[in-house]
Amino acid sequence: MTTTLASGADLFAKHRATLDGARDAIRTRGYYSAYPESAKAYGESAMADGKAAFDARLGKTFALTQPTTGATVAPERSPYGIALDVQYPVVDVDALFAAATQAMKAWAAASAETRTGVALEALARLNAHSFELAHAVMHTTGQAYLMAFQAGGPHAQDRALEAVAYAYDEMSRIPASVVWEKPAKPEPLRIEKRFRIVPRGIDLTIGCSTFPTWNAYPGIFASLVTGNAVVVKPHPQAILPLAITLDVLQGTLRDAGFDPQLVTLAVDTPDHLLAKELAQRPEVKLIDYTGSSAFGTWLEKNADALVYTEKAGVNSVVIDSTADFAGMTKNLAMSLVLYSGQMCTTPQNLFVPAVGIAAESGRKSFDEVVAALTQAIDAVLGAPERAVEFLGAIASDATLQRVDAENAKPGVVKRSVALEHPKFPGARVRTPVIAVVDAADRERFSHEAFGPIAYVIRTANTDESLRLATEQARDKGAITAIVHSTDPTVLEKAQRWAREGKVNIAVNLTGSLLVNQSAAFSDYHVTGGNPAGNASLTDAAFVANRFRIIETRTPAA
Amino acid sequence: MTTTLASGADLFAKHRATLDGARDAIRTRGYYSAYPESAKAYGESAMADGKAAFDARLGKTFALTQPTTGATVAPERSPYGIALDVQYPVVDVDALFAAATQAMKAWAAASAETRTGVALEALARLNAHSFELAHAVMHTTGQAYLMAFQAGGPHAQDRALEAVAYAYDEMSRIPASVVWEKPAKPEPLRIEKRFRIVPRGIDLTIGCSTFPTWNAYPGIFASLVTGNAVVVKPHPQAILPLAITLDVLQGTLRDAGFDPQLVTLAVDTPDHLLAKELAQRPEVKLIDYTGSSAFGTWLEKNADALVYTEKAGVNSVVIDSTADFAGMTKNLAMSLVLYSGQMCTTPQNLFVPAVGIAAESGRKSFDEVVAALTQAIDAVLGAPERAVEFLGAIASDATLQRVDAENAKPGVVKRSVALEHPKFPGARVRTPVIAVVDAADRERFSHEAFGPIAYVIRTANTDESLRLATEQARDKGAITAIVHSTDPTVLEKAQRWAREGKVNIAVNLTGSLLVNQSAAFSDYHVTGGNPAGNASLTDAAFVANRFRIIETRTPAA
């Protein structure tokens, strides 16, 4: 692709309407999307072109402009069983940081508009790579194709744009200069003050294995727009989506006259995991992290940099009563099935009173609730060719082992079974395992059981359900919560307890919206107030500390 | 004082114009002040009334509404030698946190407008206590009376108002609710989303010994307005100004129908220093700290709470050339003399090329620069009755000892001497000590020498001066910097290096504005980008993370 060299200012003007739309949206938190989630919007050949672009990456060395030792590493394995063998350059860490530091100079000196224009151009170009990214996300994370396209492409781009809008908003609130005139005798004191936005330094973005673009883009783009350089350390199983992203970013920077080494890729090798070493580099002033709680908490406690984390949590559903029993169970079944429970937003613990619940069709016993849920899962999954489009594939061996172990435990009412994938014989497809446990059995359910594992927990009553859900959010972290109730006092109590657990809550979802879904510009993803993470996508706090303001005071004439 | 019970909404309306003025000012960063710094504005009897109110506090137990063990402690000693003997209640820490947690419930449930209204009312009442606060600040910190009145009263109140304006701005940017409507077939997906502002928890404010109100108010008020409770742990030598502040705050809260224990005072006892213990309480989610680098860095590394620090630094002056030699030396002399160098903004290191500098009246040798500076100090100080109004008194024994030690070191060109205070025979008044040292003598000048101690450092040239100043800002921290030069290329270079050291810089100050001064609404105090502190008074980053947003999603009809 040949691109005309365009200045950042030109790019800012070119994408102005997109930015303005995003800035409006973050004020109302209403519906907005800049990048279509419908495949049709991309033209007839886009899907095939994306597939071809992805295929062309396989079995080759991935070229990026950055220092390398000359060695390469190819750690990724497709959960669908196809051969990837993309070889990534092994980095020379010292040289990488030197290059990033050097590249940051001109970038930091550019205007906020220039940096924003370049970021918006990169997003437009990434959008044109959405189908290539879909395959890259699918074959690293195990997501089904449609989810990989939407969440890995346009939804991730929207989330990036949201962060750009917040960052630009924050920067534009700082005047370039003012003449400060203080009344005094015999004449006022007049001082010219200039305010410069100065980046913190290098941002280290540590990617995750499940939504490598969606989770990494907000930090990457917020840091870039505020003048920082970014070193991306991807999860060793999900490199390609971020490598393609950096390839596009480097090309955009180059075309706009900036050093592409402003963004670089640092890939682990099996005998040299990089995250700790990179996180402790003195040049690293910001860290954006998505991943396990253990390492996220280590970063929060040990890194000198500002750290923004999304870690793990235990998400709860409190079922008190419903006016749409079938809709409720179907909605929950979809939530549990989607991407085999490998979303940080998937419910894990479903609290149901031992005495059962009230429904529009009369009382449902505890066992009837459980039966309806497992039947709804079966109905959602249907035949394997349909099921795999919801389930995707299991990304890691650890998850497979966890599911197998759970299958063998007491209380299982629905075992996880392996399904054949009609298109990918090597795909690791698993249905969810559902177990019924008692409220007293905390050991079993009060930690994250990542993957297609859910517990229906028998409680004394809804108060106990709410109390347990709140405690877990507060103590273990939670990213989502649902309550089903027709009783306004229960709903009021649930919201009060959600505020105490600092978790976002959904109420009576019985239609197509799932609690798993988080919409850019509208839903704050992770509250940042419980152990599931210390930051939110996206609010002002996520961007406002990525730069500093340096002031110059000069007496004015 | 009898006050009519007023609702938070009424108070918000009452103080709306003040808030609007502040919100305008933080957008332009132009001149603004809500609380007059002129004593005349307070009416004829205000000074005498303030003195009487202060006197009435002495020798008594300070009553606050909060749990206590029943014991009291009276650790303050006036640097002016008068007897204080104010006895503060010793706290029962567990009961204190329980009371704060309980008080926070209704406060967090109130609207942003209500909380803001109460905060603005408290500031108006504090303003009426400005002369009482002046004496309290003077006799704990050693500031001279006028500075204690201005910096401890109206300037601190302005700084608080600035923080309130930022916090209200951030909160008002979050809509209470929206109906999110996503286009879909057969009909759009409509979700009602409600967004609630939820406080982080308890803010621990750790006060300093020099500007107890000015430095503590921004954190206290930003945290309160965003719904948090505040526990204030004052410096053991500067309790009274914050105790009076909390008394006023508790009264305002009570009158507005809130639990006064939302704000409480936790005073160290000689055998039980509280800061570490309080900082590690699980209820503490925010810490605002002003004080030594050692403890500030400990907090940054070890506290689980979000930590906002202002620590110590080494402030530099780079003298290259000047068009107003007399103005420059007089301005610098004033900066060094003011409050005996006990301001975090006082210059310490004055870099001067060995070959001297160009001035409007011709070349000045290094020795001539030094001589002019020491003469300017003598001129500024004049007779003792005038000198003490600039110098104030020395707050701590450690500073006195440091000055005595410095007097005995090589290179001293002006020894510190003790002055008699005409009004307070016991006052510890000292003139500055000035030493000439070599650029190679890093051991001597590359750490903070708190108090009336300054070094004139002989460098090879201005480039070396700038390099050393930048290195110290970057490595040791700096809160202020000045450059004097008539050469635009030097000024450009100085600003570039200031951005590298992430320090605010003043240029060619030769008039009444001193680099020490930092104006609310306009000057960002501390950049937050070098080791002198991780936060700035006040920017969006200082307030935006003090609350979280909790979302409720409900399908809309």
Side-chain angles (χ1 to χ4, degrees):
Chain A
M1 186 166 77
T2 307
T3 310
T4 311
L5 192 83
S7 77
D10 291 345
L11 295 173
F12 186 78
K14 176 181 169 187
H15 299 291
R16 184 77 204 224
T18 303
L19 180 65
D20 288 347
R23 292 178 74 192
D24 282 349
I26 62 174
R27 273 179 214 116
T28 65
R29 301 295 296 188
Y31 175 78
Y32 181 70
S33 172
Y35 309 106
E37 66 176 18
S38 162
K40 288 178 196 156
Y42 292 79
E44 271 190 30
S45 69
M47 284 178 91
D49 293 348
K51 176 71 164 62
F54 168 73
D55 287 341
R57 302 278 193 189
L58 304 185
K60 302 210 179 72
T61 296
F62 198 105
L64 285 168
T65 304
Q66 63 179 56
T68 165
T69 64
T72 61
V73 64
E76 294 163 307
R77 278 190 321 164
S78 168
Y80 291 93
I82 71 166
L84 297 174
D85 197 30
V86 184
Q87 293 134 52
Y88 301 96
V90 172
V91 297
D92 174 334
V93 172
D94 287 337
L96 192 80
F97 277 91
T101 301
Q102 177 59 31
M104 193 165 46
K105 287 184 184 168
W107 184 247
S111 69
E113 283 70 24
T114 287
R115 292 192 300 260
T116 302
V118 172
L120 293 171
E121 173 67 14
L123 284 174
R125 293 188 189 188
L126 281 169
N127 184 243
H129 285 260
S130 291
F131 288 104
E132 180 187 355
L133 286 162
H135 289 279
V137 168
M138 177 181 177
H139 284 288
T140 51
T141 68
Q143 288 178 33
Y145 179 69
L146 183 63
M147 177 187 276
F149 162 68
Q150 290 187 338
H155 292 178
Q157 294 145 18
D158 273 336
R159 210 89 237 195
L161 175 60
E162 181 190 28
V164 169
Y166 271 99
Y168 182 75
D169 248 24
E170 285 301 328
M171 292 188 291
S172 63
R173 222 169 285 136
I174 295 146
S177 67
V178 69
V179 175
W180 179 84
E181 187 166 324
K182 180 177 180 177
K185 287 176 183 167
E187 52 186 25
L189 187 55
R190 299 181 75 241
I191 306 291
E192 191 204 6
K193 303 184 180 187
R194 273 169 290 159
F195 305 103
R196 276 286 292 264
I197 286 163
V198 173
R200 284 257 175 208
I202 293 176
D203 178 296
L204 170 65
T205 293
I206 300 177
C208 69
S209 62
T210 49
F211 291 87
T213 58
W214 196 94
N215 275 107
Y217 279 12
I220 292 173
F221 278 84
S223 278
L224 284 177
V225 163
T226 50
N228 304 278
V230 178
V231 172
V232 176
K233 205 297 290 174
H235 190 283
Q237 291 299 335
I239 304 169
L240 188 56
L242 289 172
I244 294 170
T245 300
L246 294 182
D247 189 21
V248 171
L249 268 167
Q250 287 198 333
T252 312
L253 286 163
R254 194 183 288 112
D255 290 344
F258 291 98
D259 184 342
Q261 296 186 100
L262 187 72
V263 291
T264 52
L265 184 73
V267 177
D268 294 309
T269 60
D271 57 347
H272 189 187
L273 298 180
L274 288 171
K276 275 197 182 183
E277 176 183 338
L278 299 179
Q280 292 177 313
R281 291 286 300 206
E283 302 94 331
V284 169
K285 302 295 185 189
L286 299 161
I287 298 177
D288 285 280
Y289 171 81
T290 314
S292 74
S293 291
F295 192 64
T297 302
W298 183 89
L299 285 172
E300 290 170 2
K301 287 186 183 295
N302 294 285
D304 282 340
L306 288 174
V307 178
Y308 304 86
T309 59
E310 177 183 331
K311 303 181 290 183
V314 180
N315 302 322
S316 294
V317 180
V318 170
I319 305 179
D320 171 73
S321 50
T322 179
D324 179 1
F325 188 67
M328 176 184 81
T329 49
K330 183 180 174 190
N331 183 280
L332 289 170
M334 277 295 298
S335 279
L336 295 176
V337 158
L338 202 65
Y339 185 29
S340 295
Q342 297 172 104
M343 303 177 77
C344 57
T345 50
T346 304
Q348 174 183 305
N349 292 340
L350 291 73
F351 295 96
V352 179
V355 297
I357 66 165
E360 78 285 7
S361 50
R363 194 107 203 131
K364 300 286 179 185
S365 72
F366 179 88
D367 290 343
E368 284 173 315
V369 174
V370 174
L373 182 68
T374 59
Q375 285 155 20
I377 291 171
D378 289 337
V380 164
L381 290 178
E385 64 269 20
R386 175 186 153 97
V388 295
E389 297 307 326
F390 293 125
L391 292 170
I394 301 294
S396 83
D397 294 343
T399 302
L400 281 180
Q401 287 155 13
R402 197 177 302 113
V403 170
D404 288 340
E406 200 66 41
N407 261 346
K409 288 185 185 170
V412 169
V413 292
K414 183 172 182 56
R415 285 170 55 85
S416 171
V417 297
L419 297 184
E420 286 287 316
H421 196 297
K423 294 183 203 152
F424 298 99
R428 307 190 290 191
V429 183
R430 283 303 190 90
T431 65
V433 48
I434 311 290
V436 170
V437 301
D438 220 66
D441 194 7
R442 299 271 193 107
E443 278 299 297
R444 183 85 171 273
F445 65 81
S446 73
H447 56 89
E448 191 199 32
F450 185 77
I453 299 168
Y455 304 103
V456 185
I457 300 159
R458 194 191 319 262
T459 62
N461 49 44
T462 294
D463 268 4
E464 184 179 45
S465 300
L466 286 170
R467 189 172 52 72
L468 287 171
T470 304
E471 274 177 25
Q472 301 218 324
R474 193 189 56 211
D475 300 341
K476 307 286 174 173
I479 295 178
T480 63
I482 323 183
V483 58
H484 280 278
S485 181
T486 56
D487 182 345
T489 64
V490 168
L491 294 179
E492 181 46 49
K493 201 182 279 185
Q495 288 177 68
R496 198 168 69 234
W497 289 15
R499 293 197 291 273
E500 201 178 315
K502 294 199 173 56
V503 61
N504 293 325
I505 191 167
V507 175
N508 293 335
L509 298 186
T510 55
S512 61
L513 184 80
L514 304 180
V515 73
N516 316 38
Q517 297 168 321
S518 178
F521 307 106
S522 184
D523 296 321
Y524 295 99
H525 178 69
V526 187
T527 68
N530 69 46
N534 72 4
S536 184
L537 304 179
T538 298
D539 59 14
F542 186 71
V543 301
N545 217 355
R546 291 177 190 262
F547 63 90
R548 298 285 77 206
I549 304 157
I550 306 297
E551 180 181 355
T552 302
R553 291 190 281 182
T554 310
Chain B
M1 185 165 76
T2 306
T3 310
T4 311
L5 191 82
S7 76
D10 291 345
L11 295 173
F12 187 78
K14 175 180 171 189
H15 298 292
R16 183 76 204 223
T18 302
L19 180 65
D20 287 347
R23 292 179 74 192
D24 281 349
I26 62 173
R27 275 179 212 115
T28 65
R29 302 294 297 187
Y31 175 78
Y32 181 71
S33 173
Y35 309 106
E37 67 175 18
S38 163
K40 288 179 198 156
Y42 293 79
E44 271 192 30
S45 68
M47 285 178 90
D49 293 348
K51 175 72 164 59
F54 168 74
D55 287 341
R57 301 278 192 188
L58 303 185
K60 301 211 181 69
T61 295
F62 199 104
L64 285 168
T65 304
Q66 62 178 57
T68 165
T69 64
T72 61
V73 64
E76 294 164 308
R77 278 192 320 166
S78 169
Y80 291 93
I82 71 166
L84 297 174
D85 196 30
V86 184
Q87 294 135 52
Y88 302 95
V90 173
V91 297
D92 173 334
V93 173
D94 287 336
L96 191 79
F97 277 91
T101 300
Q102 177 59 32
M104 192 165 48
K105 286 184 185 170
W107 183 247
S111 69
E113 283 70 24
T114 287
R115 291 192 301 259
T116 302
V118 172
L120 294 171
E121 173 67 14
L123 285 173
R125 294 188 187 187
L126 281 169
N127 184 243
H129 285 259
S130 291
F131 288 105
E132 181 186 357
L133 285 162
H135 289 279
V137 168
M138 176 181 176
H139 283 288
T140 51
T141 68
Q143 289 178 32
Y145 179 70
L146 183 62
M147 177 187 277
F149 163 66
Q150 291 187 336
H155 292 176
Q157 294 146 17
D158 272 337
R159 210 90 237 193
L161 174 59
E162 179 190 28
V164 169
Y166 271 99
Y168 182 75
D169 247 23
E170 286 301 326
M171 292 189 291
S172 63
R173 222 169 285 139
I174 294 146
S177 68
V178 69
V179 174
W180 179 84
E181 185 165 326
K182 181 177 179 177
K185 285 172 184 168
E187 50 186 25
L189 187 56
R190 300 180 75 239
I191 307 290
E192 191 205 5
K193 303 184 180 188
R194 273 170 290 159
F195 306 103
R196 276 287 291 264
I197 287 163
V198 173
R200 284 255 175 211
I202 292 176
D203 178 295
L204 171 65
T205 293
I206 300 177
C208 69
S209 62
T210 49
F211 290 88
T213 58
W214 196 94
N215 275 107
Y217 280 12
I220 291 173
F221 278 85
S223 279
L224 284 178
V225 163
T226 51
N228 305 278
V230 178
V231 172
V232 176
K233 205 296 289 174
H235 190 282
Q237 290 299 335
I239 303 170
L240 187 57
L242 289 171
I244 294 170
T245 300
L246 294 181
D247 189 21
V248 171
L249 268 166
Q250 288 197 333
T252 312
L253 286 164
R254 194 182 290 110
D255 291 342
F258 291 98
D259 183 342
Q261 296 185 98
L262 187 71
V263 292
T264 52
L265 184 74
V267 178
D268 294 309
T269 61
D271 56 347
H272 189 188
L273 299 179
L274 288 172
K276 275 197 184 185
E277 176 184 338
L278 299 179
Q280 293 178 311
R281 291 285 299 206
E283 301 94 332
V284 168
K285 302 295 185 189
L286 299 161
I287 298 176
D288 285 280
Y289 171 81
T290 313
S292 76
S293 291
F295 192 64
T297 303
W298 184 89
L299 285 173
E300 291 171 2
K301 287 188 184 294
N302 293 286
D304 282 341
L306 288 174
V307 178
Y308 304 85
T309 60
E310 178 183 330
K311 302 181 292 183
V314 180
N315 302 321
S316 293
V317 180
V318 170
I319 304 179
D320 171 74
S321 50
T322 180
D324 180 2
F325 188 68
M328 176 184 80
T329 49
K330 183 180 175 191
N331 183 280
L332 289 170
M334 277 296 297
S335 279
L336 296 176
V337 159
L338 203 65
Y339 186 29
S340 294
Q342 296 172 107
M343 302 177 78
C344 58
T345 50
T346 304
Q348 174 183 304
N349 292 340
L350 291 73
F351 295 96
V352 179
V355 296
I357 66 165
E360 78 286 7
S361 50
R363 194 109 202 127
K364 300 286 178 185
S365 73
F366 181 89
D367 289 342
E368 285 172 315
V369 174
V370 173
L373 182 68
T374 59
Q375 285 155 20
I377 290 171
D378 288 335
V380 164
L381 291 179
E385 62 271 19
R386 175 185 153 101
V388 296
E389 297 307 326
F390 295 124
L391 291 170
I394 302 293
S396 83
D397 293 344
T399 301
L400 280 181
Q401 288 156 12
R402 198 177 300 113
V403 170
D404 287 341
E406 200 66 40
N407 261 348
K409 288 185 185 170
V412 169
V413 291
K414 182 170 184 56
R415 285 169 56 85
S416 172
V417 297
L419 297 184
E420 287 287 317
H421 196 298
K423 293 181 205 155
F424 299 99
R428 307 188 291 192
V429 182
R430 283 302 190 90
T431 65
V433 48
I434 311 289
V436 170
V437 301
D438 220 66
D441 195 7
R442 298 272 193 107
E443 279 299 298
R444 184 84 172 273
F445 65 81
S446 72
H447 56 89
E448 189 198 34
F450 185 78
I453 299 167
Y455 303 103
V456 184
I457 300 159
R458 194 191 318 264
T459 62
N461 49 43
T462 294
D463 268 3
E464 183 179 46
S465 300
L466 287 170
R467 189 171 53 70
L468 287 170
T470 304
E471 275 176 24
Q472 301 219 324
R474 194 189 55 211
D475 301 340
K476 307 285 174 174
I479 294 178
T480 63
I482 323 182
V483 58
H484 279 279
S485 181
T486 57
D487 182 344
T489 64
V490 168
L491 293 179
E492 180 47 49
K493 202 182 277 185
Q495 288 178 70
R496 199 167 68 236
W497 289 12
R499 292 196 293 272
E500 202 177 314
K502 293 199 172 56
V503 62
N504 293 325
I505 190 166
V507 176
N508 293 336
L509 297 185
T510 55
S512 61
L513 184 81
L514 304 181
V515 72
N516 316 40
Q517 297 168 320
S518 177
F521 306 104
S522 184
D523 295 322
Y524 294 100
H525 177 69
V526 185
T527 67
N530 70 45
N534 72 4
S536 185
L537 303 181
T538 297
D539 60 14
F542 186 71
V543 300
N545 217 356
R546 291 177 191 261
F547 63 90
R548 298 286 76 208
I549 304 156
I550 306 296
E551 181 181 355
T552 302
R553 291 190 282 183
T554 310

